[in-house]
Amino acid sequence: MTYSGRLIEYLDGGRFICGMVIENQSKRVHLINQNGREVNLPVSRIIHCSEHSYGNIADRELLVGELKEAHERRSSLMREINLEELWELVSEEEGASFDPAFLAELSFGAAATDDKVAAFLRCIFADRIFFKYREGVIRSHSSEQVQQIRQQLEKERQEAELIKNGARAIAEIMDHPVTGYHPDPWLEECLGIIRDYYLFCTEANQAELARRILKEAQLTGPHDPFHLLVKAGIWSRNENLPLLRHDIPVSFSLAARQQAEAILQSNPRALFDDPGRVDLTHMAPLTIDGATTLDFDDALTIEEEDGNYLVGIHISDVAHYVRPGDALFKEAMQRGTSIYFPEGQIPMLPRHLSQGVCSLIQDEIRAAFSFMILLSPTAEVLRVRIMPSVIRVARRLTYEEADRIIDRDPELRLLDELRQRLRRRRLDNGALLLPFPDVNIFIDNSGKVHVSLVRSDTPSRTLISEMMILANTEAARYISDRMVPGLFRTQGPLKNRIVHGEDDDLFQNTRQRKQLPRGELLTAAGLHSGLGVNHYTTVTSPIRRLLDLVMQHQLNSIVRRRQPCFSADMCKDFTSVINRTVTTANNVRQLRHRYWLLKYLEDRKGQLFDALVIESGPKRTFLLLTDILMDVDLPCPSGSKPIPGSIIKIRLVKADALDNLVRFDW
């Protein structure tokens, strides 16, 4: 087609422009547009071309005036076109295609001039709801397409309104931080979108919308969303982001809360009516826990019996209250474990159970599961009786109190002697002790972080751990001997032993920990090399671990001579649930622990720290900060390499908890 001398229209930046072609090339035209500019335009961009040639208008100023007038005429004609009425007229012919001139005639009810056809095409491009133009042909949309386009346009309109009004409200928040409820609906919706975007980045459902809102609000820094949410009172300055990212539930369902309330109303005296439950309230159990512990799930008794020792390991009978299929058990399945943070905890069960009726509180009647184990003076297991029971704790001791009186308290002294012999038996079977200090993190009222190390192998702590290992071992043996499926912890043989006996060397213990075989959770009992036992499970913390609660149910059904509570397939399903939930919980706990250590380091830029050299590789040196037990690594220094096992000084260059960043140098 020859375009020379013809009036054409094309789109530029979304706007229709009129132009007069002054030269026709093979695939391009040279034109003067209504703005007086000369343009080389690809033929493919021409939307409309006049039917006749206007000839050569020599006066450039006159030509531009003509083009502007044509543009105004066509813009004015657009107001006479009703695309929806026209669409209703022709839409019955689904999939039909039309010539623009034909539809222009229908729309105006008169012959289609160049101006009318051009005006009609402008409407098609301005309102894409009813028709689609492509390669000179117009097609009508189906009713379904019209509905979808309208919904999309409405969505885009709402998003544009949200971006505009949300950005305005966000700017006000950044200038004037607030707390509490936000009456502005734009702000509330925007903050929710931005929250998800900051937590999940590109995986957030409305990531692109969040980016547009932040850009409009001129918040382009990587942590600007975090600071916004803090200023808005949505998050605290030290919000637990890993907890939010992993979507771990922090509250309980209404059904679970109602069940917990009903349990609280139960009369503990009803426990004595259970014929399968033994009354042990004549005994005087003691608990030994941390000073801040509120959920007590184990207590101990000891009595001499014909030159031997009857040790009672009494575990809270959580299975009596939380049963498979009920709301509380479902909540435990979702969590898998309680999670402890320096600033608080996320319990597996509601606090009025975990710290109330299920907690072995001093002087309170409680349902328990008692392991009555007769030990010889050399700590050989002579007899095991496992029974549901009723107990009343007589004494509560902290670890520190127990350590102070362990040599002069008759019960504690006997338990401690047995503890040492039980430990020696495990060591003789290849157990690894690997004591590692506990890192205690305390945040004071001003937000300052304090870090201290506490020995994990004091007499009272190891006394409790040995008694729990004993009970767990015997529970595993009891279930396994009866060919009943369960959940058993196993660990394969150690290939490279570095530590022997009761070695208490931080360097050697750290190296050994890095070479431990992987532990597994199986439905059949097997060797646990690290503990030095042939069978192992855990039943001693049913308040805080799903695994222990499940095994307590399994044990209870066998002891009461019933069919096992869970089949082999059900146990296999439990292993999947527990592995998934506990892995997530451990990851969140470790990230939060690291966050607080980094907060501690933030105030210590430039300070020197003692670091234990763990490994000196060809390119990097791996170290352990001895004050806070944090792993760090540095490029190997020039010259001689640091000697593994030695203590050296390294300097803190930078720490940023929000960025999860720490950097040291030599």
Side-chain angles (χ1 to χ4, degrees):
M1 179 178 182
T2 301
Y3 292 98
S4 294
R6 295 178 186 265
L7 195 157
I8 67 165
E9 286 203 341
Y10 65 96
L11 280 169
D12 186 15
R15 298 175 59 195
F16 271 91
I17 304 292
C18 289
M20 183 67 70
V21 178
I22 57 178
E23 184 181 351
N24 197 97
Q25 300 168 358
S26 60
K27 293 185 178 181
R28 304 179 75 86
V29 293
H30 186 71
L31 59 87
I32 297 175
N33 69 18
Q34 67 193 47
N35 300 317
R37 291 178 58 229
E38 292 192 26
V39 177
N40 281 315
L41 187 77
V43 170
S44 59
R45 287 185 58 188
I46 297 174
I47 303 298
H48 177 261
C49 179
S50 62
E51 288 291 327
H52 64 279
S53 172
Y54 282 74
N56 185 16
I57 302 177
D59 188 330
R60 188 185 184 100
E61 187 175 337
L62 181 62
L63 173 60
V64 171
E66 289 283 345
L67 292 173
K68 286 182 178 178
E69 287 180 12
H71 175 76
E72 293 301 325
R73 287 196 308 273
R74 294 171 179 189
S75 296
S76 178
L77 285 168
M78 288 175 67
R79 292 192 286 271
E80 301 179 27
I81 299 171
N82 188 320
L83 289 182
E84 185 170 6
E85 288 183 359
L86 181 64
W87 174 78
E88 289 175 350
L89 185 65
V90 302
S91 62
E92 292 182 3
E93 298 183 45
E94 188 171 335
S97 59
F98 304 94
D99 180 77
F102 170 74
L103 292 180
E105 286 186 6
L106 280 180
S107 181
F108 285 101
T113 63
D114 284 336
D115 285 343
K116 289 178 179 177
V117 175
F120 183 78
L121 286 171
R122 288 186 179 198
C123 287
I124 295 294
F125 277 85
D127 182 351
R128 300 170 185 260
I129 296 176
F130 304 103
F131 296 96
K132 180 179 181 179
Y133 174 84
R134 187 174 183 181
E135 296 178 351
V137 175
I138 295 176
R139 288 183 172 82
S140 65
H141 289 142
S142 66
S143 298
E144 292 78 9
Q145 287 175 316
V146 168
Q147 183 179 5
Q148 289 172 2
I149 294 169
R150 278 176 164 162
Q151 289 173 347
Q152 180 61 31
L153 290 174
E154 176 60 20
K155 179 183 176 183
E156 291 172 1
R157 185 196 66 77
Q158 291 177 357
E159 285 184 354
E161 193 174 10
L162 176 65
I163 292 167
K164 177 183 175 183
N165 292 300
R168 170 193 51 77
I170 285 169
E172 293 177 6
I173 289 289
M174 295 302 289
D175 292 336
H176 306 287
V178 298
T179 56
Y181 174 70
H182 303 288
D184 190 327
W186 301 111
L187 180 62
E188 187 176 355
E189 185 174 356
C190 281
L191 291 177
I193 292 169
I194 290 169
R195 172 193 179 277
D196 288 349
Y197 175 63
Y198 185 73
L199 290 174
F200 306 113
C201 300
T202 56
E203 294 182 10
N205 289 334
Q206 296 175 289
E208 181 56 33
L209 179 57
R211 280 193 287 266
R212 292 168 63 194
I213 294 170
L214 290 167
K215 183 178 179 180
E216 182 74 15
Q218 298 183 345
L219 298 178
T220 55
H223 297 300
D224 282 351
F226 176 85
H227 299 304
L228 166 64
L229 291 162
V230 171
K231 288 187 176 184
I234 304 297
W235 284 349
S236 70
R237 286 186 305 151
N238 294 300
E239 191 69 25
N240 192 334
L241 300 177
L243 186 69
L244 299 177
R245 287 191 174 110
H246 286 84
D247 200 26
I248 293 175
V250 296
S251 59
F252 291 89
S253 67
L254 175 62
R257 296 198 304 273
Q258 289 175 336
Q259 185 187 345
E261 290 291 343
I263 292 170
L264 285 179
Q265 303 305 316
S266 61
N267 186 347
R269 289 284 169 185
L271 296 170
F272 296 102
D273 298 332
D274 181 354
R277 192 174 294 279
V278 180
D279 182 358
L280 298 180
T281 53
H282 61 281
M283 305 185 82
L286 62 88
T287 62
I288 308 175
D289 285 279
T292 59
T293 299
L294 296 173
D295 47 357
F296 305 98
D297 48 19
D298 58 83
L300 301 175
T301 57
I302 185 167
E303 296 176 344
E304 291 193 51
E305 185 178 294
D306 299 328
N308 298 310
Y309 300 99
L310 182 63
V311 175
I313 304 168
H314 311 277
I315 309 302
S316 172
D317 189 356
V318 180
H320 175 69
Y321 300 105
V322 181
R323 298 175 180 176
D326 66 23
L328 286 171
F329 196 88
K330 290 176 182 176
E331 292 283 345
M333 288 276 286
Q334 282 189 306
R335 290 164 168 78
T337 181
S338 296
I339 314 177
Y340 296 86
F341 304 116
E343 69 271 31
Q345 63 157 301
I346 308 297
M348 186 179 78
L349 299 171
R351 283 184 171 82
H352 20 309
L353 295 186
S354 61
Q355 299 176 10
V357 70
C358 290
S359 184
L360 303 183
I361 299 170
Q362 185 177 356
D363 296 327
E364 297 291 339
I365 292 173
R366 289 291 184 259
F369 222 79
S370 295
F371 293 76
M372 306 306 294
I373 303 174
L374 187 65
L375 297 175
S376 72
T378 58
E380 180 185 358
V381 176
L382 303 175
R383 184 185 70 223
V384 179
R385 291 177 180 166
I386 304 174
M387 62 194 75
S389 63
V390 185
I391 66 168
R392 183 190 287 114
V393 170
R395 281 201 294 170
R396 175 193 171 184
L397 297 173
T398 66
Y399 289 123
E400 293 75 18
E401 289 170 341
D403 284 330
R404 284 197 297 270
I405 64 173
I406 201 164
D407 292 332
R408 62 180 185 271
D409 183 280
E411 285 182 298
L412 291 179
R413 187 176 65 252
L414 279 177
L415 286 168
D416 188 48
E417 290 173 359
L418 291 172
R419 180 267 303 182
Q420 295 177 51
R421 292 162 193 164
L422 286 166
R423 174 165 283 208
R424 173 46 54 190
R425 280 182 169 275
R426 290 199 303 110
L427 286 171
D428 291 344
N429 287 331
L432 284 167
L433 300 183
L434 307 182
F436 218 68
D438 290 332
V439 181
N440 282 357
I441 300 174
F442 171 69
I443 302 99
D444 64 25
N445 292 333
S446 66
K448 187 176 181 180
V449 182
H450 305 267
V451 180
S452 61
L453 302 184
V454 178
R455 283 186 57 194
S456 62
D457 60 344
T458 66
S460 63
R461 290 174 185 270
T462 54
L463 186 159
I464 293 298
S465 67
E466 285 300 330
M467 294 304 162
M468 297 308 110
I469 290 171
L470 176 62
N472 289 327
T473 302
E474 293 307 321
R477 191 193 317 277
Y478 190 91
I479 292 174
S480 180
D481 285 351
R482 286 156 180 77
M483 306 295 288
V484 172
L487 305 175
F488 300 93
R489 294 194 178 279
T490 66
Q491 187 180 52
L494 184 67
K495 293 181 180 178
N496 181 24
R497 178 176 284 272
I498 300 170
V499 174
H500 300 271
E502 300 193 51
D503 290 349
D504 186 11
D505 182 275
L506 185 60
F507 171 62
Q508 299 291 9
N509 286 348
T510 302
R511 289 180 61 217
Q512 186 72 80
R513 280 174 173 238
K514 293 179 182 295
Q515 299 187 41
L516 291 176
R518 182 186 172 196
E520 292 186 274
L521 184 62
L522 304 176
T523 56
L527 172 72
H528 196 297
S529 64
L531 293 173
V533 295
N534 293 324
H535 311 77
Y536 199 70
T537 186
T538 55
V539 296
T540 53
S541 293
I543 289 176
R544 63 191 82 174
R545 287 197 299 247
L546 175 63
L547 190 158
D548 301 51
L549 177 59
V550 168
M551 288 301 284
Q552 195 175 68
H553 273 292
Q554 201 75 327
L555 198 57
N556 181 62
S557 59
I558 302 169
V559 167
R560 291 178 182 266
R561 303 183 185 279
R562 299 171 182 165
Q563 286 294 315
C565 188
F566 304 114
S567 67
D569 286 342
M570 294 168 76
C571 288
K572 189 173 181 180
D573 290 341
F574 278 126
T575 64
S576 299
V577 170
I578 291 168
N579 283 330
R580 173 177 51 80
T581 54
V582 172
T583 297
T584 299
N586 285 339
N587 186 31
V588 169
R589 180 184 57 78
Q590 289 164 9
L591 288 171
R592 193 59 174 168
H593 180 86
R594 178 177 170 84
Y595 172 87
W596 286 115
L597 291 183
L598 292 176
K599 291 292 287 185
Y600 172 80
L601 292 175
E602 281 181 350
D603 298 330
R604 289 162 174 79
K605 181 180 177 181
Q607 291 186 17
L608 294 176
F609 287 81
D610 285 337
L612 174 63
V613 181
I614 302 301
E615 183 182 347
S616 197
K619 293 184 179 180
R620 302 195 72 81
T621 301
F622 299 89
L623 310 117
L624 180 69
L625 299 182
T626 56
D627 288 344
I628 59 175
L629 301 186
M630 176 187 274
D631 292 315
V632 298
D633 63 281
L634 289 172
C636 290
S638 57
S640 60
K641 291 183 180 179
I643 301 171
S646 63
I647 301 287
I648 61 173
K649 297 281 188 182
I650 59 175
R651 187 183 307 276
L652 177 62
V653 176
K654 183 180 181 181
D656 190 312
L658 205 53
D659 272 329
N660 190 24
L661 171 70
V662 64
R663 193 163 69 245
F664 286 87
D665 65 15
W666 299 103

